Amino acid sequence: MSSLPNKKLFIQTMGCAMNEKDSENMIAELCIKDNYILTATLEDADLIILNTCSVREKPVSKLFSLLGEINKQKKQKAKIGVCGCTASHLSSEIIKRAPYVDFVLGARHVSKITQAIKTKGFVDVDIDYDETAYQFGSFETQTYKRKINISIGCDKSCTFCIVPNTRGSEISIPKELILQEISKAVDGGVLEVLLLGQNVNNYGKTFSNKNSKSSFVELLRDISKIKKLKRIRFASPHPLHMDDEFIDEFVTNDKICKNIHIPLQSGSSKVLKDMRRGYTKEWFMNRCQKIRELSKDVRISTDIIVGFPTESQKDFDDTIDVIKKVKFDQIFNFKYSSRPNTQAEHFSSIVSKEQASSRLEQVIELHKTQIDEKMPSNINKTYKVLFEQKKENGNFIGFSDNGYQIEVQNEKDILGEILDVNITNFHRTYLEGKII
Ligand code: SAH
Ligand code: F3S
């Protein structure tokens, strides 16, 4: 046991699940190798890390005002580090604009965190760096669930997206390492894993270790052989790679949760071409239809960008048409935001700011109406729920296999159990029920 007093780490994470996982990895490194403990109070921290996102412009422009605030509030000797995608994208520019920042560490480099904190002015944002064989310590944010990276980077070139510039090209993590990590997590009580990658169903195209071989479907089959593991989720599959083999595995493998995120981006085949997404409106709808036919209670979520530079009214009508037909269970809507070093940055736009805002509003309103129509149909259905949280009022909260948040009252402690729940009441964002 170390006799040194603990140092305190404050970490703020923006953006996606992958950033959350990167933060967990950095916390594990710092706690295991450098005697840190987490604090939720910035003023107490000896080290402050911002793990940033650069997918849209707004969070990037907020970064410098946030850094200014932190610099005022922090303990005098506390170090500040900027990590993640904006670190990759702005690199040493960050220290130029905010000289009190101690280090900048790109999204592909989180394993170097213990090195970064030692050197004032450390900047490392190389996107060729291979992190796939790196085995991090584990920092558990949730008792029953664990995020597992299966690939890093992205090989696509969607014309709107900055991610390939910040996270580099796609490399799959060797299957043996993934299976090892999951087995270890399961031995520690984890029941559900969330497999992470920019395009999970492209898994296996490129490994850094030339001896590795596996497709995503094979990976899913092997993971599901881990006995004590109950549930598998993944985010996100790319619509282009959703072939029949993948869909069959998704619907027939009982351990795979029937909740799938399929990023549409646009419902117009023309805009999809301008975005270089590689699929058409018809292909996307066909994939969703096939999944809905084969899996009764499946829930489908999506990402939609409105106001892409070439989006005409007719193109937007196509997006509305897809929403009406697919009836997504959840939509993450974004107004197009021009990003540096992307192809679409140079497209001239036919969409005014007002049009983009109005289209966003229309998507939100339509989706709300659809959800209000759909939620009552859950009454009297039975869902398998993994209970993972107890509220202050004593109620238990869990998630169904298909991703609904479900709340129940129960005398006995049911945390960590998967139980059948009969739905008795609905709200827009969650359901209530009774254990049967
Ligand atoms: N392949 C990843 C996507 C990462 S970016 C995945 O699905 O896991 C997450 C989402 O941000 C994208 O699906 C897209 O809808 C949105 N997005 C990306 N770049 C954008 C931009 N320039 N403007 C607005 N939204 C954007
Ligand atoms: Fe971005 Fe397209 Fe990859 S949205 S992360 S370039 S699949």
Side-chain angles (χ1 to χ4, degrees):
M1 283 275 280
S2 163
S3 56
L4 289 170
N6 287 118
K7 292 169 282 183
K8 290 187 179 157
L9 164 67
F10 176 91
I11 187 162
Q12 185 173 333
T13 309
M14 299 130 185
C16 63
M18 213 158 286
N19 261 11
E20 286 169 20
K21 179 68 185 175
D22 288 344
S23 286
E24 286 171 21
N25 284 337
M26 286 192 282
I27 298 169
E29 287 295 280
L30 290 166
C31 295
I32 295 167
K33 298 196 180 148
D34 234 325
N35 207 27
Y36 276 92
I37 52 168
L38 268 186
T39 173
T41 315
L42 192 139
E43 288 81 354
D44 288 348
D46 301 289
L47 172 62
I48 296 156
I49 294 179
L50 290 186
N51 194 9
T52 58
C53 171
S54 61
V55 162
R56 281 165 295 279
E57 193 188 356
K58 228 182 194 166
V60 178
S61 53
K62 275 195 202 148
L63 173 68
F64 288 97
S65 55
L66 183 60
L67 282 171
E69 283 303 309
I70 289 174
N71 192 39
K72 274 191 230 145
Q73 289 170 26
K74 75 178 181 83
K75 275 202 305 211
Q76 209 198 349
K77 283 198 175 147
K79 287 180 189 162
I80 304 180
V82 177
C83 304
C85 285
T86 305
S88 308
H89 152 51
L90 294 178
S91 180
S92 49
E93 180 70 24
I94 296 177
I95 298 187
K96 266 196 214 132
R97 283 178 64 180
Y100 46 83
V101 168
D102 291 272
F103 63 90
V104 173
L105 192 59
R108 194 121 169 180
H109 289 256
V110 292
S111 60
K112 291 191 177 173
I113 185 65
T114 51
Q115 218 178 307
I117 58 170
K118 291 195 184 90
T119 321
K120 172 91 185 149
F122 185 99
V123 177
D124 196 338
V125 297
D126 177 9
I127 53 169
D128 295 327
Y129 186 64
D130 178 16
E131 254 199 358
T132 59
Y134 195 84
Q135 281 171 301
F136 294 91
S138 68
F139 175 78
E140 287 103 46
T141 44
Q142 290 164 311
T143 318
Y144 309 110
K145 291 179 174 178
R146 185 69 46 85
K147 295 186 197 74
I148 307 281
N149 283 340
I150 65 163
S151 60
I152 60 171
C154 179
D155 269 352
K156 300 267 184 275
S157 40
C158 302
T159 56
F160 53 82
C161 186
I162 198 173
V163 172
N165 298 332
T166 61
R167 289 192 175 265
S169 55
E170 187 177 295
I171 304 185
S172 301
I173 295 175
K175 183 165 72 177
E176 300 65 43
L177 292 184
I178 297 172
L179 293 172
Q180 245 173 49
E181 194 182 342
I182 299 178
S183 299
K184 213 166 89 188
V186 165
D187 287 340
V190 163
L191 300 171
E192 178 179 310
V193 289
L194 170 62
L195 309 177
L196 292 176
Q198 296 297 342
N199 294 301
V200 282
N201 51 346
N202 201 34
Y203 176 83
K205 288 281 161 358
T206 319
F207 289 100
S208 55
N209 171 353
K210 301 282 174 285
N211 300 325
S212 295
K213 232 181 138 186
S214 174
S215 68
F216 185 54
V217 167
E218 282 161 9
L219 176 71
L220 288 172
R221 288 190 187 139
D222 285 351
I223 292 175
S224 49
K225 284 183 201 143
I226 299 176
K227 269 229 171 78
K228 286 187 280 178
L229 180 72
K230 301 288 183 221
R231 289 176 157 191
I232 303 169
R233 298 185 192 273
F234 49 78
S236 305
H238 193 294
L240 177 65
H241 304 298
M242 294 187 56
D243 54 20
D244 289 348
E245 190 194 14
F246 165 78
I247 293 184
D248 286 344
E249 184 65 22
F250 173 74
V251 296
T252 55
N253 185 329
D254 287 341
K255 288 197 179 177
I256 299 180
C257 291
K258 302 301 175 265
N259 185 12
I260 186 164
H261 186 73
I262 319 179
L264 169 65
Q265 314 301 3
S266 168
S268 151
S269 295
K270 184 186 134 279
V271 171
L272 287 170
K273 198 157 175 230
D274 296 343
M275 289 175 162
R276 293 192 63 182
R277 290 289 291 174
Y279 53 89
T280 59
K281 173 186 183 185
E282 290 69 32
W283 169 260
F284 184 94
M285 298 226 292
N286 171 281
R287 299 292 86 188
C288 292
Q289 194 187 354
K290 185 164 170 133
I291 290 175
R292 287 226 193 270
E293 267 167 25
L294 295 173
S295 181
K296 185 167 62 70
D297 284 324
V298 68
R299 289 177 74 237
I300 302 178
S301 59
T302 199
D303 288 347
I304 289 175
I305 298 177
V306 299
F308 186 75
T310 62
E311 184 186 68
S312 66
Q313 181 60 43
K314 190 172 156 294
D315 295 320
F316 177 65
D317 293 344
D318 273 331
T319 298
I320 292 288
D321 187 49
V322 176
I323 299 174
K324 284 189 175 154
K325 291 187 173 131
V326 176
K327 297 192 169 69
F328 296 105
D329 296 273
Q330 201 177 6
I331 302 181
F332 299 90
N333 320 277
F334 308 106
K335 224 190 282 182
Y336 170 73
S337 164
S338 174
R339 306 306 297 122
N341 308 319
T342 58
Q343 288 181 47
E345 183 195 7
H346 308 291
F347 295 179
S348 57
S349 181
I350 57 166
V351 192
S352 69
K353 274 191 177 153
E354 294 70 31
Q355 275 169 328
S357 301
S358 148
R359 287 175 189 174
L360 186 74
E361 209 40 54
Q362 288 173 59
V363 170
I364 293 170
E365 280 311 310
L366 172 58
H367 179 61
K368 263 191 205 156
T369 319
Q370 289 181 323
I371 291 300
D372 288 345
E373 275 167 20
K374 198 176 262 191
M375 289 309 264
S377 68
N378 287 300
I379 298 285
N380 255 328
K381 279 194 178 163
T382 299
Y383 290 126
K384 283 208 179 317
V385 179
L386 164 57
F387 288 98
E388 50 194 79
Q389 195 192 329
K390 191 172 180 179
K391 279 176 62 173
E392 266 175 22
N393 67 5
N395 287 358
F396 291 91
I397 294 184
F399 286 87
S400 62
D401 163 277
N402 65 359
Y404 278 122
Q405 182 180 316
I406 296 180
E407 189 169 327
V408 303
Q409 282 181 334
N410 204 57
E411 288 294 305
K412 192 180 131 260
D413 185 357
I414 48 173
L415 290 178
E417 292 185 43
I418 297 178
L419 300 167
D420 282 333
V421 174
N422 182 253
I423 303 304
T424 53
N425 198 6
F426 65 90
H427 305 266
R428 194 175 268 158
T429 55
Y430 71 100
L431 301 170
E432 290 172 89
K434 283 200 174 77
I435 291 167
I436 51 175

